[in-house]
């Protein structure tokens, strides 16, 4: 879904990318700032119960995930190091988002341990989704399949948390349960896809 939207978002970010490129800003700097913004926003706003403000702040910094790629193309500096840095720092951002939500559930006056556990499962399953793809590519195969890639997972949790912060009842719980199921299914889809490439052929 987000891959369809990516070209439109890239066009919107192009003028900003051009301005940054003219000032000699490195794509790696944008990647790092974006991750720091996500981590700080998630770990400050979410545990304090400011779900809507936190989701807005995180969304702003998540856009750096697209801006660094735009900037790399404009500066002619796309690199394997940049790709590695981007993917690695993405894991920090994901961990911060779900850790912030886990703290939110645990630190409430009436802790919601079940939802904290579901959020933890989403974090672990999301990491497995990314690992399955990386490991497959390391073995010379590909695993770019599944119903819940990183973009979709982040979009779901940010929308659910943001709407919950606006007072929409049960939306965060529903979002987490759906995300947990979708992430688990995606792990299985990628395992089956790699199995077919490695064994069936």
């Amino acid at each position: 879904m987000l891959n369809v939207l990516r070209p439109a978002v890239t066009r919107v970010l192009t003028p900003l990318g051009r301005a940054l490129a003219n000032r000699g800003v490195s794509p790696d700097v944008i990647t790092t700032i974006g991750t720091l913004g996500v981590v700080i926003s998630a770990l400050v706003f979410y545990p304090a119960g400011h779900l809507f403000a936190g989701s807005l702040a995180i969304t702003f910094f998540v856009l750096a995930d697209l801006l660094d790629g735009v900037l790399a193309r404009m500066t002619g500096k796309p690199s394997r190091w940049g790709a590695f840095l981007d993917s690695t720092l993405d894991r920090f951002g994901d961990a911060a988002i779900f850790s912030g939500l886990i703290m939110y559930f645990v630190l409430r006056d009436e802790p919601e341990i079940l939802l904290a556990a579901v959020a933890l499962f989403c974090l672990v399953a999301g990491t497995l989704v990314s690992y399955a793809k990386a490991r497959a590519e390391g073995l010379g195969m590909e695993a770019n399949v599944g119903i819940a890639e990183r973009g979709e997972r982040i979009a779901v949790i940010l929308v659910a948390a943001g709407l919950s912060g606006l007072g929409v009842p049960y939306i965060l719980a529903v979002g987490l349960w759906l995300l947990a199921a979708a992430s688990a299914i995606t792990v299985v889809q990628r395992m089956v896809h790699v199995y077919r490439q490695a064994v069936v052929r």
Side-chain angles (χ1 to χ4, degrees):
M1 177 185 68
L2 294 185
N3 285 336
V4 174
L5 298 177
R6 185 178 293 269
V9 175
T10 298
R11 285 195 295 272
V12 172
L13 293 176
T14 295
L16 178 57
R18 185 176 296 111
L20 292 173
N22 291 337
R23 286 166 175 75
V25 178
S26 167
D28 293 346
V29 171
I30 300 299
T31 301
T32 304
I33 291 174
T35 300
L36 286 175
V38 169
V39 170
I40 293 172
S41 299
L43 297 181
V44 170
F45 287 108
Y46 281 173
H50 304 307
L51 300 183
F52 181 70
S55 296
L56 282 182
I58 292 168
T59 299
F60 174 80
F61 286 109
V62 163
L63 290 177
D65 193 40
L66 295 177
L67 181 58
D68 59 2
V70 172
L71 183 56
R73 287 190 292 274
M74 289 190 166
T75 57
K77 296 180 179 178
S79 65
R80 289 186 296 177
W81 161 249
F84 172 81
L85 180 67
D86 185 56
S87 296
T88 302
L89 293 186
D90 280 348
R91 306 290 82 75
F92 280 100
D94 296 353
I97 290 171
F98 287 100
S99 295
L101 288 174
I102 290 170
M103 287 189 283
Y104 164 71
F105 290 126
V106 171
L107 296 176
R108 299 188 67 175
D109 293 334
E110 296 182 5
E112 298 185 56
I113 303 303
L114 178 58
L115 287 181
V118 177
L120 178 59
F121 178 85
C122 288
L123 172 58
V124 174
T127 300
L128 289 175
V129 169
S130 299
Y131 175 79
K133 179 180 179 180
R135 183 58 177 153
E137 291 175 347
L139 294 172
M141 296 176 283
E142 58 89 17
N144 194 27
V145 298
I147 61 174
E149 296 190 32
R150 180 179 183 266
E152 284 77 10
R153 296 196 307 273
I154 296 301
V156 168
I157 197 60
L158 290 180
V159 169
L163 291 178
S164 179
L166 290 176
V168 179
Y170 308 114
I171 188 67
L172 183 53
V174 170
L176 282 169
W177 280 106
L178 288 176
L179 187 57
S183 298
I185 291 171
T186 301
V187 171
V188 174
Q189 287 177 308
R190 292 191 169 182
M191 292 179 68
V192 170
H193 189 68
V194 172
Y195 175 80
R196 289 172 175 168
Q197 294 174 75
V199 179
V200 175
R201 292 180 183 177

